[in-house]
Amino acid sequence: MSYIKFTKDELINLEFSLSRELIRTNRAGSYASTTIIGCNTRKYHGLLVCPMDEIDGERHVLLSSLDESVIQNGAMFNLSIHKYPVVFEPKGHKYAREFFVDPIPMLIYRVGGVVLIKEQLFSVEEERIMTRYTLFEANSPTTLRFKPFLAFRSVHKLTRENMYTNKKYEKAANGISMKLYEPYKPVYMQFSKEVDYVHVPHWYYNIEYIEDQKAGLDFQEDLFVPGYFEVNIERGESIIFSAGLTETDPKILNELFDKESFSRVPRSNYLNCLTNASQQFVIRNKQKYEITAGFPWFGSWGRDTFISLPGLTLINGHFDTCLKVLQTSSEKLRNGLFPNMESGEEAVYNAADAPLWYFYAVQQYLKFSNNTEAVQQNFYPKMLEIFEAYTLGTSFNIHMCDNGLIYAGADNAALTWMDVKINGIPVTQRRGFAVEINALWYNAVCFLLEFAKRIGDNPVAEKYAWLPAKIKESFTGIFWDEKKKYLADFHDNGYTDWKIRPNMIFAASLPYRVVDEDIAKSVVDVVKSHLLTPKGLRSLSPKDKDYIGTYEGNQESMDRAYHQGTVWPWLLGSYVDAYLKLHGKSGIALAEKLFYGFEEEMTRHGIGTISEVFDGDPPHNPGGAISQAWSVAELLRIHYTIEKMKEENL
């Protein structure tokens, strides 16, 4: 019995089924994503979505969807579903009977006496989606018809009928290839047995994406259907459809499908689902190793990469992958900063905390691998470069002040992880001395000096030996209030912001703790009282006048709520670290409760993975990206920490 499954009643209920999405990826950054009934609800959905380095480095939707129809006794039953203005058409979801996830997604249809099984997987090593159709039951001769809906556009844009579309096709083995525009690569659509292809080019107009519509974004597009394929299928027979960027030999499709299927980590339990999800974020593109921050719309983000690495790689013993990601990231260092966000060929260097999280990632790599030589050769020079940039000053007025703390801020710049802007204005600017920036700075300085001693770089170790004590003293003086019993969020030019936010938790959680234990305990208590939920930490106390409890509405509404109360799962990793530092093995029960509280999410939003955010208000509905790297990574790291503590206390 599959760990994750959906029944007929759930599948035909569109309110239920359209809110549950699948994501399958390969190691080059391509993916397939849609809802569990195959109705695309976002412009980011598609069956073959691939990076196009020859265009802009962005992902592009090539094959948007594939309509399947069953033909018997002259009657045709379309199993697919699209949203058009006012209506869903066709209504193929009414034939859906069961959906299973393990070992690969399987959707079972019943049409009269026909039972058709549809299984789908995305090739790990190449840009290829494969779908296997098996005729399980049939009481008369059966034919399958397939209509490919082609887009050939960036995931961030929509397309309309246009005069530039190349409607011609080329023959391929058991199929065709098409390239709608230059300089795209052609898409090869092939079958495991010989099929008939009928070329009847046609545009389908005003297909709608309801999630984009909810967000107040453009949500209608036209898709191009070149024609249709037809093939007879016998009872008990399986036929495989393949869409890829290279032509394949149809004779090997059955073998290839089985090989790919058997290689999957089974999604047979909660932990396996998280492990499987974690593998999807690691991208190997040529010689580069990167972390995708989330699917389906994120690229590689510096901050997210460094926070996610321990949970995605180190806890599973994938030290070499972690090393290669850090090596790739190190090449991107400019003026002591890493890209906050990368989109295709563009990179934005506006994250004051990303370089300090780099120290943390290297610190964890050293802890797990004990590979001093690799750190010394690859990362120590970069750490010194960052340290120099931060002490002397770099972009966005990021610099160390006389009190040893890091100041960061420039007009209309959002330099921390709370970085959303509306009309170019930061919602939570947090200019000045930010609490987590300086907690991270203390940890980075302590680690740098410790490592300098370890490798015998005594001039560095001795020159700055005074700095940690100075940072710690200044940190407590600026951020701690004995009456309030918690840490301020930021301080700038005489103004201290006392909003209760989760940023203070890092002062109590990082390996080198910038505050004493009594302050750490007060911080954990306040965070638990105001911010802790079963799905993560709120980004603002619900008692604050600026609190927004739901992450919904159009894009501006969601942006306003993003860091004003919305819950973030990734913050639980640091909360659990701080809590266990204080409570030891007696804190395991709470940590386990938080970890297993996410098991119900395996059948919501992103199936088998963890969403980007949740509502601040109960019942804490999921939102944002359907699969977020640091959400998955920090839950896996929490589980590892729990099991490690149990072992140590046996």
Side-chain angles (χ1 to χ4, degrees), residues 36-337:
I36 59 176
I37 56 168
C39 180
N40 292 345
T41 59
R42 306 179 189 274
K43 60 178 171 284
Y44 297 97
H45 281 163
L47 295 182
L48 186 64
V49 185
C50 307
M52 291 285 113
D53 292 338
E54 59 272 28
I55 298 178
D56 55 9
E58 293 274 8
R59 296 188 184 98
H60 287 245
V61 180
L62 303 175
L63 176 63
S64 178
S65 59
L66 183 71
D67 274 22
E68 310 101 339
S69 298
V70 173
I71 302 174
Q72 270 194 342
N73 301 319
M76 185 166 65
F77 306 89
N78 196 323
L79 307 182
S80 302
I81 176 172
H82 301 279
K83 175 67 169 63
Y84 294 94
V86 184
V87 66
F88 286 93
E89 184 65 35
K91 299 179 176 64
H93 65 293
K94 64 186 179 183
Y95 303 119
R97 290 299 175 263
E98 289 182 288
F99 183 95
F100 302 95
V101 168
D102 187 39
I104 58 176
M106 175 193 294
L107 184 55
I108 301 175
Y109 295 98
R110 178 178 286 278
V111 183
V114 172
V115 175
L116 185 70
I117 300 174
K118 173 183 173 181
E119 302 168 278
Q120 205 160 57
L121 57 77
F122 204 93
S123 178
V124 172
E125 299 299 336
E126 59 178 341
E127 279 73 19
R128 188 175 307 283
I129 180 75
M130 291 183 286
T131 308
R132 181 166 64 187
Y133 298 90
T134 302
L135 188 61
F136 188 71
E137 291 182 15
N139 50 20
S140 59
T142 306
T143 299
L144 299 181
R145 177 179 289 187
F146 303 93
K147 290 193 301 186
F149 284 64
L150 303 176
F152 281 74
R153 59 159 173 84
S154 165
V155 292
H156 303 301
K157 300 176 182 178
L158 295 171
T159 190
R160 288 292 190 179
E161 179 184 17
N162 62 84
M163 61 184 294
Y164 306 106
T165 307
N166 178 11
K167 299 180 180 180
K168 297 179 181 179
Y169 72 95
E170 300 290 336
K171 290 184 178 180
N174 291 353
I176 66 169
S177 71
M178 292 201 70
K179 179 169 64 172
L180 298 193
Y181 313 103
E182 295 289 349
Y184 280 96
K185 296 177 181 178
V187 171
Y188 292 84
M189 294 170 282
Q190 299 173 268
F191 291 82
S192 58
K193 67 179 291 187
E194 190 173 344
V195 297
D196 292 323
Y197 173 67
V198 179
H199 193 61
V200 282
H202 185 68
W203 285 91
Y204 281 71
Y205 303 109
N206 297 323
I207 291 176
E208 296 186 345
Y209 303 118
I210 59 177
E211 292 299 327
D212 295 329
Q213 184 178 13
K214 290 177 186 177
L217 306 172
D218 290 340
F219 63 94
Q220 289 184 338
E221 77 169 337
D222 306 333
L223 292 174
F224 179 73
V225 176
Y228 61 87
F229 303 93
E230 275 192 1
V231 60
N232 296 327
I233 185 170
E234 302 291 331
R235 180 176 179 178
E237 183 182 9
S238 293
I239 296 174
I240 295 175
F241 167 79
S242 161
L245 297 186
T246 57
E247 186 172 7
T248 189
D249 181 355
K251 296 176 182 178
I252 69 168
L253 281 176
N254 284 291
E255 178 184 350
L256 180 61
F257 193 96
D258 287 337
K259 179 182 177 182
E260 291 270 4
S261 178
F262 294 147
S263 69
R264 298 295 193 264
V265 175
R267 290 176 170 85
S268 53
N269 57 52
Y270 172 41
L271 186 59
N272 279 357
C273 284
L274 291 181
T275 301
N276 228 313
S278 73
Q279 296 175 350
Q280 296 186 325
F281 300 109
V282 181
I283 306 301
R284 301 191 298 266
N285 191 354
K286 299 177 181 177
Q287 299 302 313
K288 296 181 179 180
Y289 277 65
E290 296 180 312
I291 301 296
T292 292
F295 289 104
W297 53 76
F298 283 92
S300 176
W301 289 50
R303 172 191 300 114
D304 301 53
T305 293
F306 304 137
I307 293 171
S308 301
L309 266 177
L312 297 181
T313 62
L314 296 176
I315 64 169
N316 295 317
H318 299 159
F319 303 154
D320 188 55
T321 299
C322 183
L323 175 65
K324 290 178 178 177
V325 172
L326 285 171
Q327 287 173 329
T328 298
S329 297
S330 296
E331 296 173 1
K332 303 174 184 178
L333 187 66
R334 302 285 185 276
N335 300 319
L337 299 175

Side-chain angles (χ1 to χ4, degrees), residues 380 384 447-458 460-461:
Y380 183 60
L384 289 175
F447 174 59
L448 177 69
L449 299 182
E450 175 220 346
F451 191 77
K453 290 179 183 177
R454 183 168 180 165
I455 62 174
D457 189 355
N458 295 321
V460 169

Side-chain angles (χ1 to χ4, degrees), residues 553-591:
N554 61 25
Q555 192 63 53
E556 181 174 331
S557 296
M558 290 189 290
D559 285 347
R560 290 197 183 283
Y562 208 39
H563 300 116
Q564 296 287 75
T566 296
V567 167
W568 294 77
W570 77 273
L571 295 168
L572 277 182
S574 294
Y575 176 80
V576 168
D577 286 344
Y579 192 85
L580 292 179
K581 278 185 178 183
L582 293 170
H583 298 281
K585 64 180 181 180
S586 65
I588 290 177
L590 175 62

